[in-house]
Structure formats: structure tokens, C-alpha cells
């Protein structure tokens, strides 16, 4: 394999031109050990991210609906073999209560997360929860990370107003997959592999993918995931809307073999950069599994979305006590994370405009590849931030955000100041 400097730079230029990398190019990045060249790669990942999305970082929170599960995934606190787990499925009212509380804190976008249980957390239940959250709270977009379902049920999930359907393959390595998923519907590797096709067939244009980092050799997994994404692109004309980087965390009641391969912080940075470079237009999502300092660093390496202030147990925002899925690495509140992002010279965003303006799937990809998405993102992020300042921020954070906003208004030629005045006068959900 060619891994000389000039070849690596050719690959970086290709990413900067918003082209999807092929597997030979991805393998060259995965194989590279040269520290100095890696610094150049990480910096290029940042530049690619800014070319697509500008400086905005999207914020959201997960909302766990149920931890009652029929599967026995060795890494997860919700697994059926965890006899000590305190099980809970939120009632529709409890889900609305949790969502309202998050909306009051300033979130506009939530990711609904469920274990796998056709009766407790199947499509009939999900439809009711989604409808009630949209009708009774200020949450503007819901995404979902649920167990795979039939095309017909995916159609209902899409119809109920879910923006992105997310599901992780966990591992592409078949022997590892088998040992980690000994029983339940999830033990069927081939069926898990088909989930994105089913979701897309049912009308989801935005899907989120990932592998659970730490189960098997990360280089192998990253190559396999990108190969899966390339297959979707050639079949449907678009690939994943987001790629997540969940890294294995301790979980109460987990049952993990010694063969697990912990991914180091340095390697996690490389993974974020490779995802960004391989699929320049995809969002790269970092959860609160990771510690605060590392998350801040990942924002300048290509990550474009982060969760904040998360809890991983059902009812976790209102009351702790039920079993969490895994331990949280970053316990900062939404407000603390917003303040930090602004201090880093980036723009925190609570925007949900693309879903409402139908900038999704292939349309989103074309706009992103032309470098046009960032014009929407930057302005909408600032408008969402102004709303946050009016409705939720403390005086201290308000002051820091005002500085950022004033600087951006001075640079803007787009009538941003006029739109901000509308928000100050009480109008909401102003976006382009
Ligand atoms: N139950 C569904 C499933 O398994 O696809 C969807 C939601 S599951 C609660 C969300 C994801 O959490 C899983 O796909 C897995 O990658 C991740 N996860 C589970 N246990 C974890 C752990 N101990 N550390 C980090 N991530 C974990
Ligand atoms: Fe259930 Fe998902 Fe946890 Fe597996 S990862 S035990 S399917 S909740």
C-alpha cells in the first residue's frame, strides 16, 4: 500500500473537495503512523468540517424511553441477563414530562432511545409518545435510536415525524458479533446489517450509523463501516446523515469478555477525523460517553454534533434510580457546554431548520457538497442562540453569548440584525 506523504496529501485534497473517499484511501489513513502527518490530517478534518457546516456545533439530548429489553448484549446495562437492573418504561405522560423539562432547559432536538421490546416499546407505543411530545412541548424535532423494525413499522415511525433514524451495527466482525449478542432478535447479524436498507425503503432519507468502538479492532471496524456507507451511496444516492463514535463505557451488569479492545483517546481522535474525511458531508456525533476535555478537542477535529446534559436511564432527568445504559463521561449541563463552545470560538446551535425545510437526504448532500449548507447553518445557529438567550440562559452565559452574537451581527450582510429583533420582540422559530 502507498502511504507516502504525497499520497496522503492527495487524499486530503480530495476530502477538501467534498469527495467521498474509497477504501484504498481510507486504508492508507488507517495504516498511517507518522505523528506529524497525523497532525496535518486532524487539522484538515477541521477545515473540511468548517467548509461544510461552518463553525456551528449542533446540540441535543437523548431521552431514554425504556430499559426493558429482550436482548442480551454483553456490553449493555439493559441486557436481559442483568438480573439486578431496575426496569422502567415511561408512560406517555412521563415521556412528555421529561421532554417538557428538557425543552425548558433550551433543547429543541431530542433523540428518543429505547431498548428492544416489541410489546413495551414497539411502534404503537412510539407513535403515541412522539405525537404527545410534539403536541405538548416546545421540542421541534425528534430523532430515534430504536431496535430495527419491519419496513411497514419504519413507515409509521417516519410518518410520526422522526427526522433521523439511528442504529449502530455494533461490530461488523461476525465472530465478535455472535459472542456479544448470544440471544434475542439482535443475535441475527444479517438482519442487523439490513436495517438501513429497510429504513430507507420506508422513506427515511436521514439515517445515522456507527460501530460500538472497543468490541473489535477499530481499524477493521472503521473500514467496514465506510464500506457499508459506500454501498448505501451507490444504491440510494445518499449515505448516512450522521456517523456516531460510541466508545465502550462501563455498564452495571455488563458481561464483557477479555477480548475487548479499548480504543485510546488518540485513536478516537483519528476515528473522528477519518469519518469526517471519508464522508465530508456527514455529521459526526460525539456523545457524553466521552470526558469533557476530550469532547472539546474533538470539536476542532471534525465533530459537528454533541449531546449535552444527558441521562441514560428512563426518567433520568426527573429522578435518578432506574438502571442506566452506561456511565456518563461528561456531566456538564447544556448551559455549561454552550458557554464552552462559544469560548472555543465555535457557534453552539439549537437549530432544527433543515428538517422543517426538507433539506434532507440527497438534497442535503448536494447542498453540503457545494458548500451551501454552512450559510444556512451559521445564521440559523445564531438565531437559535438568541432564542436560547431570551428564554433560558443565566445572566453570566447571556453576557458571553451576547459578545459572540454582536460580533457575528457586525459581520453579517444578510439582515441577521432584523431577524434578531423579531426574536427580541417575542417571535420564535425564525430560521432560513
Ligand atoms: N436497543 C437498540 C439497539 O441496541 O440497537 C437501540 C438503543 S441502544 C440503547 C443504543 C446504543 O448504545 C447501542 O446501539 C450501543 O452501541 C450503545 N451502547 C450500549 N451499551 C453501551 C456501553 N456500555 N457503552 C457505550 N455504548 C453502549
Ligand atoms: Fe437491549 Fe440495545 Fe442494550 Fe442490546 S444495546 S441490551 S438491544 S438496549
Amino acid at each position: 500500500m502507498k502511504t507516502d506523504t504525497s499520497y496522503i496529501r492527495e487524499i486530503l485534497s480530495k476530502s477538501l473537495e467534498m469527495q467521498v473517499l474509497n477504501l484504498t484511501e481510507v486504508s492508507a489513513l488507517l495504516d498511517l503512523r507518522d505523528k506529524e502527518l497525523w497532525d496535518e490530517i486532524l487539522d484538515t478534518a477541521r477545515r473540511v468540517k468548517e467548509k461544510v457546516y461552518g463553525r456551528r456545533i449542533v446540540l441535543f439530548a437523548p431521552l431514554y424511553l425504556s430499559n426493558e429489553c429482550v436482548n442480551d448484549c454483553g456490553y449493555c446495562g439493559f441486557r436481559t441477563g442483568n438480573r439486578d437492573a431496575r426496569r422502567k418504561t415511561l408512560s406517555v405522560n412521563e415521556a412528555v414530562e421529561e421532554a417538557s423539562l428538557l425543552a425548558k432547559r433550551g433543547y429543541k432536538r431530542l433523540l428518543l432511545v429505547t431498548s428492544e421490546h416489541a410489546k413495551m416499546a414497539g411502534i404503537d407505543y412510539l407513535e403515541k409518545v412522539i405525537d404527545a411530545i410534539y403536541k405538548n412541548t416546545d421540542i421541534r424535532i425528534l430523532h430515534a435510536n430504536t431496535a430495527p423494525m419491519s419496513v411497514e413499522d419504519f413507515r409509521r415511525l417516519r410518518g410520526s415525524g422522526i427526522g433521523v433514524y439511528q442504529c449502530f451495527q455494533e461490530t461488523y466482525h461476525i465472530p465478535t458479533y455472535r459472542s456479544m449478542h448470544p440471544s434475542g432478535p439482535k443475535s441475527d447479524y444479517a438482519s442487523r446489517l439490513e436495517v438501513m436498507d429497510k429504513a430507507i425503503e420506508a422513506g427515511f432519507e436521514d439515517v445515522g450509523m456507527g460501530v460500538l468502538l472497543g468490541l473489535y479492532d477499530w481499524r477493521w471496524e472503521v473500514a467496514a463501516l465506510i464500506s457499508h456507507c459506500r454501498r448505501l451511496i451507490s444504491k440510494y444516492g445518499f449515505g448516512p446523515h450522521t456517523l456516531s463514535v460510541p466508545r465502550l463505557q462501563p455498564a452495571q451488569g455488563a458481561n464483557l469478555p477479555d477480548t475487548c479492545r479499548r480504543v485510546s483517546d488518540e485513536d478516537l481522535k483519528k476515528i473522528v477525523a477519518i469519518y469526517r474525511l471519508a464522508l465530508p458531508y456527514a455529521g459526526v456525533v460525539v456523545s457524553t460517553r466521552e470526558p469533557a476535555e476530550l469532547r472539546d478537542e474533538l470539536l476542532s477535529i471534525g465533530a459537528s454534533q454533541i449531546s449535552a446534559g444527558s441521562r441514560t436511564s428512563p426518567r433520568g432527568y426527573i429522578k435518578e434510580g432506574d438502571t442506566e445504559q452506561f456511565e456518563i463521561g461528561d456531566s456538564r449541563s447544556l448551559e455549561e457546554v454552550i458557554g464552552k463552545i462559544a469560548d472555543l470560538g465555535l457557534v453552539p446551535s439549537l437549530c432544527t431548520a433543515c428538517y422543517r425545510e426538507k433539506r434532507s437526504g440527497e438534497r442535503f448532500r448536494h447542498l453540503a457538497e457545494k458548500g451551501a449548507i454552512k450559510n444556512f447553518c451559521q445564521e440559523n445557529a445564531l438565531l437559535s442562540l438568541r432564542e436560547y438567550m431570551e428564554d433560558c440562559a443565566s445572566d453570566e452565559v447571556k453576557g458571553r453569548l451576547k459578545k459572540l452574537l454582536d460580533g457575528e451581527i457586525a459581520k453579517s450582510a444578510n439582515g441577521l440584525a432584523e431577524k434578531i429583533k423579531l426574536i427580541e420582540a417575542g417571535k420564535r422559530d425564525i430560521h432560513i
Side-chain angles (χ1 to χ4, degrees), residues 59-310:
L59 289 146
F60 70 98
L63 171 46
Y64 278 71
L65 296 176
S66 174
N67 63 10
E68 301 189 66
C69 195
V70 294
N71 292 312
D72 201 21
C73 314
Y75 40 81
C76 179
F78 296 170
R79 69 190 189 90
T80 173
N82 182 7
R83 303 278 173 226
D84 299 326
R86 279 184 56 177
R87 306 282 175 181
K88 170 79 187 160
T89 298
L90 298 187
S91 68
V92 173
N93 281 346
E94 285 171 326
V96 169
E97 257 183 79
E98 289 255 300
S100 304
L101 187 139
L102 290 167
K104 279 195 194 96
R105 290 183 189 164
Y107 297 93
K108 301 289 180 214
R109 162 191 311 236
L110 299 181
L111 172 69
L112 299 179
V113 184
T114 65
S115 46
E116 179 155 7
H117 200 299
K119 266 203 203 129
M120 308 295 290
I123 187 66
D124 292 339
Y125 167 79
L126 288 168
E127 273 181 340
K128 286 185 200 131
V129 166
I130 295 161
D131 184 53
I133 293 179
Y134 279 134
K135 281 197 178 127
N136 298 298
T137 76
D138 288 335
I139 295 299
R140 294 184 185 148
I141 189 76
L142 292 169
H143 301 320
N145 184 330
T146 71
M149 38 185 104
S150 65
V151 173
E152 197 190 314
D153 286 356
F154 268 133
R155 227 170 252 132
R156 289 171 62 187
L157 189 71
R158 176 84 191 99
S160 64
I162 291 295
V164 178
Y165 173 70
Q166 186 185 63
C167 188
F168 306 145
Q169 181 61 30
E170 319 297 12
T171 171
Y172 285 89
H173 186 250
I174 295 175
T176 306
Y177 191 93
R178 292 214 170 111
S179 79
M180 290 293 162
H181 308 100
S183 62
K186 197 166 164 180
S187 60
D188 183 345
Y189 177 94
S191 149
R192 186 85 174 175
L193 205 55
E194 278 183 348
V195 62
M196 291 303 153
D197 295 84
K198 284 191 183 156
I200 293 170
E201 218 180 291
F204 274 103
E205 287 189 299
D206 288 335
V207 290
M209 297 168 72
V211 283
L212 181 53
L213 299 162
L215 297 183
Y216 186 62
D217 175 58
W218 68 264
R219 290 186 167 81
W220 196 89
E221 299 281 24
V222 166
L225 174 63
I226 289 170
S227 158
H228 190 176
C229 297
R230 287 181 55 86
R231 191 186 68 82
L232 295 180
I233 294 170
S234 65
K235 193 165 169 192
Y236 303 106
F238 60 88
H241 182 68
T242 55
L243 290 174
S244 297
V245 289
R247 187 165 61 154
L248 196 57
Q249 282 291 103
Q252 181 250 319
N255 176 26
L256 286 171
D258 299 338
T259 47
C260 285
R261 306 188 192 188
R262 206 193 120 65
V263 173
S264 69
D265 291 357
E266 287 314 301
D267 287 341
L268 189 65
K269 290 181 204 170
K270 291 179 183 169
I271 294 167
V272 166
I274 292 174
Y275 284 171
R276 166 60 53 225
L277 295 167
L279 293 174
Y281 59 84
V284 176
V285 188
V286 180
S287 75
T288 53
R289 290 172 180 87
E290 304 308 330
E293 228 171 84
L294 177 63
R295 294 211 319 151
D296 296 345
E297 263 189 87
L298 294 173
L299 296 179
S300 357
I301 289 176
S304 53
Q305 298 193 18
I306 57 171
S307 49
S310 308

